[in-house]
Amino acid sequence: MRTIQMVDLKQQYAKIKGPVDAAIQEVLDTTSFINGKAVTDFAAGLSRYLGVKHVIPCANGTDALQISMMALGFQPGDEVITPSFTYVATTEVVALLRLKPVFVDVDPKTFCIDPAAIERAITPRTKAIVPVHLYGQAAPMAEIMEIARKHQLYVIEDNAQAIGNEYTFPGGQTVKTGTIGTIGTTSFFPSKNLGCYGDGGAIFTADDALANKLKMIANHGQSRRYYHDLVGCNSRLDSIQAAILNVKLEKLDSYNDARRKAADNYDRAFAGHAHITVPYRAPYSNHVFHQYTLILEGVDRDGLNAFLASRNIPSMIYYPVPAHRQQMFAAFGGADYDLPVTDWLTQRVISLPMHTELDSEQQDLICNSVLDFMKK
Ligand SMILES: *Cc1c(COP(=O)(O)O)cnc(C)c1O
């Protein structure tokens, strides 16, 4: 059996080596390493795939969030509501821009931001909501957009873990996550559902004026060459990464299907277990399983992690410390926050290997090992 990994990029690459190598070679032959044809092709391809008018590629998913917040013209001290139960990038950029992160709780079923908690956190200084489609599950966007409309707030969707997810509105209309809010952002970090072989990211919007501003900010605030109208930054997706992404974008739907199939297998193995809650699948969200994350009750989680490791099976805690308990946010009243669901989940979640190349032999071993540990 192949060694089990959290994410098996090697095996995935082996299957697309021909077209990927050719795409990289083409960039090398043209030497247009920055803003080459591969980058414009990729932006156009992703825009078609997502059904969103503008895709602005950038250097990584963290920059995508930062550039979005710069473009919306927030002033120091303005408040941005985010979940605490997320990867640090979501909340870090808020503080970096001298804005105030306001952490709210999540729903224990979806792992995503709780709309009722958003409402309670709104003040006259609130400017935006940043929902995160965590682990590949969509946040409840209909409710979030309704709150945003009512209070005239911007919505920036952090779609780094959910690219390809389709969100269905109560009326039946289905759209891709990341295209619902004012702006959507994503990351092409290698382990993401659509990953390149280095760093990469992108920003999506339907708004022409905003797209123009986002593009300028990502390129030193430049309106035309050497004329800089805004303070911006330098954030580019390079042509080699874009060339790889052009090949992988074609595969994204089948990759997400493979993840769902692996999730189905896990679900079957753990169904009805007294100590295990399998990931909830919100009916409005076509979950893309960036992670497959269990909630354990009455289980020695560190013991399980060590037991799996003894059988060469990796497992991870995403994330061991929520944002409101990170030292970097101490100045924002970290200790004063009362986020019981976030703390409850942080103590109980564990993520199992999840990628496009899991085979049934590997999954059987993982499932049997988890169940063996529970019997002890
Ligand atoms: C990966 C990730 C990011 C940041 O992406 P980078 O490309 O690593 O900067 C932001 N938010 C979430 C939820 C992520 O998972």
Side-chain angles (χ1 to χ4, degrees):
M1 184 172 28
R2 285 195 322 275
T3 308
I4 300 174
Q5 297 181 347
M6 283 305 285
V7 182
D8 194 338
L9 291 175
K10 212 173 207 174
Q11 189 72 9
Q12 191 192 60
Y13 168 60
K15 293 183 180 166
I16 52 172
K17 181 172 163 43
V20 166
D21 290 4
I24 293 173
Q25 189 60 51
E26 199 181 318
V27 177
L28 297 180
D29 291 338
T30 59
T31 67
S32 80
F33 298 119
I34 301 295
N35 291 334
K37 182 173 175 297
V39 178
T40 30
D41 285 354
F42 175 64
L46 188 59
S47 148
R48 264 194 312 277
Y49 174 83
L50 292 172
V52 68
K53 191 164 178 197
H54 302 282
V55 169
I56 298 110
C58 64
N60 56 66
T62 310
D63 275 9
L65 288 159
Q66 182 187 322
I67 293 163
S68 302
M69 290 181 205
M70 289 168 78
L72 292 172
F74 302 153
Q75 297 304 310
D78 283 351
E79 296 175 7
V80 175
I81 295 175
T82 82
S84 175
F85 194 66
T86 181
Y87 180 57
V88 69
T90 317
T91 50
E92 183 185 32
V93 295
V94 179
L96 181 75
L97 294 174
R98 301 267 178 261
L99 311 171
K100 183 181 173 199
V102 175
F103 305 118
V104 303
D105 225 339
V106 291
D107 180 311
K109 273 164 81 178
T110 64
F111 303 117
C112 292
I113 196 163
D114 175 1
I118 296 175
E119 292 243 45
R120 286 195 296 273
I122 291 171
T123 76
R125 291 222 70 171
T126 307
K127 286 292 177 327
I129 308 165
V130 184
V132 181
H133 304 306
L134 201 73
Y135 304 151
Q137 168 115 283
M141 290 306 295
E143 286 98 319
I144 292 168
M145 295 309 291
E146 187 50 42
I147 295 168
R149 257 189 297 275
K150 201 164 95 191
H151 298 273
Q152 302 195 341
L153 306 175
Y154 296 113
V155 175
I156 302 169
E157 294 175 76
D158 183 345
N159 199 36
Q161 301 192 359
I163 197 150
N165 187 327
E166 286 148 326
Y167 178 90
T168 305
F169 281 94
Q173 187 204 7
T174 293
V175 297
K176 292 278 195 322
T177 53
T179 69
I180 303 164
T182 324
I183 299 180
T185 66
T186 202
S187 161
F188 305 120
F189 186 80
S191 66
K192 302 283 157 107
N193 290 37
L194 177 61
C196 58
Y197 295 164
D199 276 307
I203 311 165
F204 328 128
T205 187
D207 183 315
D208 296 342
L210 193 52
N212 191 45
K213 202 166 171 195
L214 290 161
K215 238 176 262 175
M216 282 171 64
I217 291 172
N219 186 25
H220 300 293
Q222 178 170 288
S223 53
R224 57 198 165 98
R225 201 166 211 184
Y226 304 128
Y227 289 77
H228 306 274
D229 303 353
L230 300 165
V231 173
C233 57
N234 172 23
S235 186
R236 294 185 283 243
L237 178 71
D238 72 68
S239 303
I240 288 179
Q241 298 307 333
I244 294 161
L245 286 166
N246 279 327
V247 176
K248 291 188 71 176
L249 179 57
E250 300 283 314
K251 307 269 177 205
L252 179 57
D253 284 340
S254 67
Y255 285 165
N256 283 340
D257 283 342
R259 287 171 179 273
R260 281 187 204 110
K261 205 168 138 244
D264 292 344
N265 293 336
Y266 280 139
D267 278 1
R268 264 194 300 278
F270 304 132
H273 195 286
H275 300 284
I276 302 175
T277 304
V278 300
Y280 173 70
R281 303 194 194 192
Y284 57 73
S285 161
N286 192 7
H287 207 312
V288 293
F289 288 99
H290 176 60
Q291 301 297 344
Y292 185 86
T293 304
L294 301 172
I295 303 173
L296 305 176
E297 277 283 23
V299 176
D300 169 13
R301 184 174 61 169
D302 291 343
L304 173 61
N305 173 273
F307 179 76
L308 294 175
S310 75
R311 293 189 176 182
N312 289 321
I313 300 167
S315 60
M316 294 288 281
I317 311 302
Y318 301 115
Y319 297 90
V321 183
H324 72 286
R325 295 191 181 279
Q326 296 285 357
Q327 217 177 319
M328 66 154 82
F329 296 122
F332 296 101
D336 301 337
Y337 274 99
D338 180 29
L339 303 178
V341 178
T342 297
D343 287 333
W344 186 87
L345 286 173
T346 300
Q347 299 302 314
R348 285 167 182 77
V349 290
I350 190 164
S351 300
L352 299 179
M354 173 49 79
H355 53 79
T356 59
E357 310 302 318
L358 278 172
D359 62 34
S360 52
E361 195 189 0
Q362 291 177 318
Q363 271 204 295
D364 286 348
L365 179 65
I366 298 165
C367 295
N368 291 334
S369 300
V370 171
L371 296 171
D372 284 352
F373 179 79
M374 304 281 180
K375 280 188 215 125
K376 291 201 318 172

